[in-house]
Amino acid sequence: MTLLYGLTIAIGAGGVLVVVALALDPARPALAAPVRHVLVGLLGFGLAGMSASFGGWPAGLAIVAAGGGAALLILLGIRYNAQEEE
């Protein structure tokens, strides 16, 4: 499971960095919201799952914690979206 959490952290963190780098160009349109939500969801899943796994939690609870971490980061991404979507 640690490999799964590590891969999702790498994909999520790399994706977030790419999105931030693309956002530095004001002429470029913003990435679609579902793509941004998937990226932060992957990052949250990996971070929470890795933390619970190394905290000694059973595998089932670590997966539940990982899902909670993904949901939390997606909700925070929606809440603190800098763009005004109309």
Side-chain angles (χ1 to χ4, degrees):
M1 289 305 293
T2 307
L3 176 64
L4 174 69
Y5 299 137
L7 287 175
T8 57
I9 290 172
I11 293 168
V16 168
L17 289 174
V18 167
V19 169
V20 168
L22 291 175
L24 293 176
D25 182 9
R28 178 181 292 274
L31 203 59
V35 175
R36 295 190 314 258
H37 296 159
V38 166
L39 289 175
V40 295
L42 284 172
L43 183 60
F45 181 88
L47 289 174
M50 187 73 78
S51 176
S53 177
F54 279 110
W57 292 23
L61 285 178
I63 292 174
V64 170
L72 179 66
L73 275 188
I74 290 171
L75 289 174
L76 287 173
I78 292 170
R79 168 68 175 92
Y80 294 108
N81 185 8
Q83 298 173 350
E84 298 176 18
E85 296 185 26
E86 299 172 8

